[in-house]
Amino acid sequence: METILKVENLNVKLDDELIICNLSFEVKRGEVLTILGPNGAGKTVLLKTLLGIFPFEGKIEWKKGIKIGYVPQRVPFVKDFPISIEEFFRLKTKNEKEIKEVLTLVGFEESFLKKNLGEISSGQYQRILVAWALIGEPEVLLFDEPTTGIDISGEETIYQLLEKLKKEKNLTIILVTHDLSVVFKFSDYVICLNKCPVCQGKPQEVVTPEILSKLYGQEIKFYEHYHGH
């Protein structure tokens, strides 16, 4: 399998504080890499560093010419924008056919374009952000903290949507999450990050109660909940 991202000895300092230390990993085409860790562990900073937003030491090597889509954490102010969904997409592309295609991909009818951003539910809004990231046919999707438990048409969660996109588009996905069930269900590889990597590898092999209590300290009770099912 083709390696599309290689990271070696990555260190990121912001305002003289070390946010990420000595992180190395590789991502192959079609993989789902999950970055797991408590708040303030550097997960969002890692995504933004991979996107070239923050300065770093070490090596970040993307495959030449690769196209990356980014789904940020909720962008709250957009809710107050008096613009239609169609106008929102036109900020990114003038290609109507492509706009309709990405909307269909995430499960919306064409008529949805006429709605205002302010009048849609948070679950619908999350899907709109995914569709927006898919404009331009990215090969990699960076996804920061999808909201867990948001229902899509009653059944399909945002993760099932991601899995469908991965299959249909042969996407590689780098995902930041708190949700352990996602790690076990969807991920090929996991990095447990609390500034420095605490564990790395296949979820079933490295995500253990001991590692989790090291990663999260006392917030560990939810682990049994997922593992018991």
Side-chain angles (χ1 to χ4, degrees):
M1 271 160 65
E2 182 187 15
T3 299
I4 58 171
L5 171 63
K6 195 173 184 175
V7 174
E8 283 177 12
N9 296 328
L10 180 67
N11 284 276
V12 181
K13 265 188 173 166
L14 298 177
D15 300 330
D16 277 344
E17 190 192 343
L18 193 61
I19 308 288
I20 293 169
C21 78
N22 299 337
L23 179 60
S24 300
F25 63 93
E26 283 188 18
V27 183
K28 302 215 177 334
R29 183 177 294 287
E31 280 186 337
V32 177
L33 163 69
T34 299
I35 299 147
L36 187 68
N39 284 330
K43 303 186 302 290
T44 297
V45 170
L46 175 58
L47 287 192
K48 290 184 171 174
T49 306
L50 294 177
L51 287 166
I53 294 169
F54 292 131
F56 63 90
E57 285 171 16
K59 192 162 97 176
I60 295 178
E61 220 170 75
W62 287 99
K63 188 191 123 207
K64 259 197 171 24
I66 195 140
K67 286 170 135 175
I68 303 167
Y70 175 52
V71 186
Q73 284 186 15
R74 275 284 176 7
V75 192
F77 70 87
V78 177
K79 292 298 268 180
D80 309 324
F81 269 27
I83 65 171
S84 73
I85 285 161
E86 184 163 22
E87 288 163 332
F88 181 55
F89 276 100
R90 280 168 167 269
L91 297 174
K92 199 165 182 188
T93 178
K94 302 289 180 267
N95 182 336
E96 297 229 343
K97 186 166 163 281
E98 188 180 15
I99 294 175
K100 286 168 187 165
E101 274 169 13
V102 294
L103 265 194
T104 310
L105 258 179
V106 302
F108 290 125
E109 306 282 310
E110 209 178 296
S111 58
F112 204 76
L113 286 170
K114 299 286 171 265
K115 280 189 187 294
N116 253 4
L117 269 182
E119 58 178 323
I120 63 177
S121 75
S122 58
Q124 291 171 328
Y125 182 45
Q126 176 126 50
R127 277 192 282 164
I128 288 295
L129 290 180
V130 173
W132 164 270
L134 291 171
I135 294 278
E137 294 276 322
E139 298 154 77
V140 185
L141 203 55
L142 269 49
F143 206 135
D144 196 356
E145 291 272 10
T147 307
T148 42
I150 281 184
D151 279 356
I152 295 178
S153 65
E155 279 300 296
E156 195 188 22
T157 66
I158 201 86
Y159 296 111
Q160 284 161 319
L161 171 62
L162 285 181
E163 196 166 41
K164 181 182 103 174
L165 293 174
K166 182 188 140 150
K167 285 198 183 87
E168 288 180 19
K169 292 271 177 197
N170 191 22
L171 276 175
T172 308
I173 297 173
I174 300 179
L175 184 70
V176 161
T177 186
H178 277 300
D179 190 337
L180 280 178
S181 59
V182 172
V183 177
F184 290 113
K185 272 188 206 144
F186 291 110
S187 308
D188 301 301
Y189 193 86
V190 63
I191 296 172
C192 307
L193 189 66
N194 196 349
K195 299 198 172 171
C196 302
V198 175
C199 78
Q200 282 177 261
K202 289 194 167 70
Q204 285 71 12
E205 291 165 15
V206 299
V207 182
T208 62
E210 296 74 43
I211 286 287
L212 286 166
S213 77
K214 201 169 150 189
L215 187 61
Y216 287 100
Q218 293 317 301
E219 299 168 40
I220 202 51
K221 298 170 196 58
F222 64 100
Y223 177 77
E224 304 308 327
H225 168 74
Y226 287 120
H227 233 50
H229 290 311

